[in-house]
């Protein structure tokens, strides 16, 4: 049973930052998100607002090389939306099938994303096995519900670009592939229409107009190909190409026997532009051509009047660029002050936004991006300062009505630059968290010396449900 539902570290560096980890760690270490490589990636992401959503039908359908190139090369926010969890697939590593296989394949996808740098979403579609036609898929799946799931993801993630792995016709082969290709353009349009799925709007979501829609081409001979996204480029920081990183990620799909040799040399993903809501050049070199994804261009991109937040956004951008320019891999702590400046500037921009001219929706869209920039600055600041959070429960399981102790230890590589002001352990579902005194030998048997340690007792309600994958909570 997962005990640490969220863990928060407050680090004071002339200001206070809050880092909240709420994801469950996969079995694969996020090797490209730590150390100098991870900080370089974060610094590159600080000064771009680019984002893309990739759609497909199953785990392992995704264009992993595109995800790796766009997330780690272009430093964009990228996510893959799989209609299913792959419950109808094969299993070469065990006897689990159907629901249990869906759990395995979901975890394989999450492990792949930890490597290629993307995020992961699903719909409620259940993989019923091989399907020959789109008609068959339509007969087995509730189109309205699954389209609504896709619209919800788009309205939550708010990508500038969508890239569909499939076309929506017989050329896709598998009927579920066809269904994914068929639904993606519908979701592109429906997400922007407040009359579509009004219950989502009533619940607090806002419409979102994706700017551009692409699909995968049909090979080098496809006359409709708009561009080739180069994925064989060598990333000098991690020493590998994006295609090689993607192949490492695809090798996590062990149940589907997806392991393979990691390619070297040039490679590319061919894309066809299906629709655009912005002017584009005659020859596109990037899916973000025609979009100003710079920080100074954020206000106009989201529909605020020209000149809005000009000084505030320039200040954020300047700090982001200064941090990247001054970064030294062997002395990451040198950029702590400039990252702190950028964090303050981001918060100042969000504060100024509240009184800026323009529509409520435009202000909300700008704030959506700035909130993520605030998180990026905070994460970069903690990484540069060498801050590490280590929560550990006394037991790996707890029963309804039981209790368990949790130690939250924090470590600082550079205590002269930062200090731990407080830690907070949170739990939901009626669970009770109470701070308790830390034993005198606070380092414990591991003989480590944390910068701070807090201990909590977590009490579980007698009515707490047994842990299971959330997507199996209802039939």
């Amino acid at each position: 049973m997962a005990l640490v539902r969220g863990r928060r570290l407050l680090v004071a560096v002339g200001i206070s930052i809050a880092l909240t980890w709420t994801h469950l760690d996969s079995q694969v270490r996020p090797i490209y998100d730590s150390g100098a490589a991870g900080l370089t990636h974060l610094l590159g992401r600080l000064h771009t607002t680019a984002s893309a959503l990739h759609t497909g039908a199953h785990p392992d359908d995704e264009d992993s090389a595109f995800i790796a190139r766009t997330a780690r090369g272009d430093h964009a926010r990228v996510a893959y939306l799989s209609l299913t969890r792959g419950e109808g697939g094969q299993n070469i590593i065990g006897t689990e099938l159907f629901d249990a296989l869906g759990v395995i394949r979901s975890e394989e996808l999450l492990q792949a994303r930890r490597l290629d740098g993307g995020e992961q979403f699903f719909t409620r579609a259940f993989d019923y096995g091989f399907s020959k036609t789109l008609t068959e898929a339509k007969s087995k799946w509730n189109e309205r519900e699954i389209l609504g799931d896709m619209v919800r993801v788009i309205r939550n993630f708010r990508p500038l670009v969508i890239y569909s792995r499939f076309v929506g016709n017989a050329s896709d082969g598998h009927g579920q592939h066809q269904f994914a290709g068929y639904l993606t353009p519908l979701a592109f349009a429906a997400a922007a229409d407040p009359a579509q799925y009004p219950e989502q709007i009533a619940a607090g979501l806002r419409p979102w107009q994706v700017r551009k829609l692409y699909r995968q081409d049909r090979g080098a001979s496809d006359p409709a190909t708009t561009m080739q996204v180069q994925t064989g480029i060598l990333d000098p920081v991690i020493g590998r190409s994006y295609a090689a990183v993607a192949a490492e990620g695809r090798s996590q799909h062990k149940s589907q026997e997806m392991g393979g040799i990691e390619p070297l040399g040039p490679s590319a993903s061919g894309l066809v532009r299906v629709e655009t809501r912005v002017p584009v050049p005659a020859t596109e070199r990037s899916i973000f051509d025609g979009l100003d994804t710079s920080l100074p261009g954020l206000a106009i991109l989201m529909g605020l009047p020209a000149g809005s937040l000009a000084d505030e956004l320039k200040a954020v951008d300047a700090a982001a660029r200064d941090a990247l320019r001054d970064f030294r891999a062997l002395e990451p702590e040198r950029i702590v002050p400039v990252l702190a400046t950028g964090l303050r500037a981001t918060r100042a921009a969000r504060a100024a936004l509240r009184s800026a001219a323009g529509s409520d929706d435009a202000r909300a869209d700008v704030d959506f991006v700035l909130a993520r920039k605030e998180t990026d600055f905070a994460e970069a600041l903690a990484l540069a300062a060498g801050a590490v959070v280590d929560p550990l429960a006394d037991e790996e399981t707890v029963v309804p009505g039981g209790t368990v102790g949790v130690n939250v230890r924090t470590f600082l590589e550079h205590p002269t630059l930062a200090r731990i002001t407080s830690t907070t352990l949170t739990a939901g579902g009626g669970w009770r968290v109470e701070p308790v005194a830390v034993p005198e030998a606070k380092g414990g048997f591991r003989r480590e010396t944390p910068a701070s340690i807090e201990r909590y007792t977590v009490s579980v309600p007698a009515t707490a449900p047994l842990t299971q994958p959330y997507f199996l909570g209802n039939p």
Side-chain angles (χ1 to χ4, degrees), residues 369-445:
V369 175
L370 288 179
R372 278 143 189 81
K373 290 301 157 200
E374 183 174 342
T375 298
D376 289 343
F377 269 109
E379 290 184 0
L381 187 51
L383 197 55
V388 177
V389 186
D390 180 46
L392 184 65
D394 294 344
E395 305 287 341
E396 66 179 11
T397 59
V398 63
V399 300
T403 62
V404 66
V406 178
N407 290 320
V408 179
R409 305 183 311 157
T410 53
F411 298 81
L412 276 177
E413 188 69 19
H414 303 286
T416 60
L417 293 176
R419 63 185 178 86
I420 307 299
T421 60
S422 66
T423 63
T424 303
L425 179 70
T426 61
W431 292 30
R432 190 171 70 254
V433 178
E434 298 174 299
V436 297
V438 177
E440 188 173 341
K442 68 177 184 178
F445 70 92

Side-chain angles (χ1 to χ4, degrees), residues 219-271:
S221 61
D222 190 338
T225 301
T226 302
M227 76 179 78
Q228 296 284 338
V229 176
Q230 299 301 317
T231 59
I233 298 171
L234 185 69
D235 187 310
V237 176
I238 62 179
R240 311 184 70 203
S241 72
Y242 303 115
V245 171
E248 183 184 11
R250 291 195 70 76
S251 291
Q252 305 309 310
H253 296 291
K254 296 178 177 64
S255 67
Q256 307 306 297
E257 200 175 12
M258 282 288 169
I261 293 175
E262 296 167 9
L264 300 174
S267 60
S269 294
L271 273 64

Side-chain angles (χ1 to χ4, degrees), residues 70-374:
T70 308
R72 301 208 176 276
D74 298 327
H75 306 295
R77 283 191 307 117
V78 185
Y80 175 52
L81 171 58
S82 176
L83 295 192
T84 75
R85 295 175 182 271
E87 300 93 339
Q90 64 178 358
N91 185 2
I92 198 170
I93 62 173
T95 59
E96 298 87 355
L97 293 173
F98 307 115
D99 287 354
L101 178 59
V103 174
I104 291 172
R105 297 191 69 185
S106 294
E107 289 298 317
E108 290 174 340
L109 262 186
L110 293 175
Q111 292 182 180
R113 296 295 83 80
R114 295 300 292 275
L115 294 168
D116 60 36
E119 300 178 43
Q120 184 61 51
F121 297 103
F122 301 91
T123 78
R124 74 188 74 183
F126 188 89
D127 181 2
Y128 55 83
F130 185 75
S131 178
K132 294 182 178 180
T133 66
L134 174 61
T135 300
E136 181 182 22
K138 284 185 172 183
S139 72
K140 294 183 179 295
W141 284 345
N142 186 316
E143 177 178 326
R144 181 69 183 169
E145 285 185 349
I146 297 174
L147 177 60
D149 291 345
M150 298 180 75
V151 168
R152 182 182 297 276
V153 169
I154 293 170
R155 287 172 173 173
N156 271 297
F157 190 68
R158 308 184 86 73
L160 293 173
V161 174
I162 290 180
Y163 164 35
S164 174
R165 186 67 190 264
F166 301 112
V167 180
N169 57 37
S171 67
D172 295 325
H174 199 310
Q176 294 177 11
H177 293 174
Q178 296 180 49
F179 196 88
Y182 160 73
L183 280 188
T184 298
L186 300 181
F188 174 90
D193 184 356
Q196 293 288 336
Y197 300 95
E199 69 279 6
Q200 296 180 7
I201 306 299
L205 291 182
R206 294 178 294 108
W208 175 248
Q209 178 60 72
V210 181
R211 305 318 196 257
K212 301 169 79 176
L213 173 63
Y214 294 86
R215 65 164 174 84
Q216 187 180 46
D217 70 6
R218 289 298 169 223
S221 61
D222 190 338
T225 301
T226 302
M227 76 179 78
Q228 296 284 338
V229 176
Q230 299 301 317
T231 59
I233 298 171
L234 185 69
D235 187 310
V237 176
I238 62 179
R240 311 184 70 203
S241 72
Y242 303 115
V245 171
E248 183 184 11
R250 291 195 70 76
S251 291
Q252 305 309 310
H253 296 291
K254 296 178 177 64
S255 67
Q256 307 306 297
E257 200 175 12
M258 282 288 169
I261 293 175
E262 296 167 9
L264 300 174
S267 60
S269 294
L271 273 64
V272 176
R273 189 180 68 247
V274 177
E275 192 168 350
T276 180
R277 300 301 173 91
V278 296
V280 295
T283 301
E284 288 188 80
R285 298 183 180 276
S286 165
I287 60 172
F288 302 113
D289 282 353
L291 297 166
D292 186 351
T293 58
S294 69
L295 279 172
L298 175 61
I300 293 178
L301 179 66
M302 296 302 174
L304 288 182
S308 300
L309 300 180
D311 292 339
E312 290 84 357
L313 292 175
K314 285 180 182 177
V316 178
D317 186 59
R321 295 185 181 280
D322 288 348
L324 185 58
R325 180 198 64 206
D326 297 341
F327 173 56
R328 301 291 182 271
L330 297 181
E331 299 177 287
E333 68 275 11
R334 289 178 51 173
I335 62 172
V336 165
V338 71
L339 288 171
T341 298
L343 183 56
R344 291 190 195 95
T346 306
R347 289 172 173 169
R350 295 187 70 188
L353 178 62
R354 290 193 285 268
S355 58
S359 68
D360 290 342
D361 281 345
R363 282 195 298 271
D365 288 339
V366 171
D367 192 61
F368 175 87
V369 175
L370 288 179
R372 278 143 189 81
K373 290 301 157 200
E374 183 174 342

Side-chain angles (χ1 to χ4, degrees), residues 10-60:
L10 298 180
V11 183
V13 275
I15 53 173
S16 223
I17 67 172
L19 300 182
T20 305
W21 289 264
T22 55
H23 62 269
L24 295 178
D25 293 334
S26 64
Q27 296 178 21
V28 171
R29 290 182 180 274
I31 55 176
Y32 306 122
D33 291 329
S34 58
L39 185 50
T40 302
H41 172 57
L42 268 176
L43 296 178
R45 197 166 67 188
L46 286 177
H47 55 76
T48 181
T49 63
S51 57
L53 178 68
H54 183 34
T55 63
H58 310 101
D60 75 34

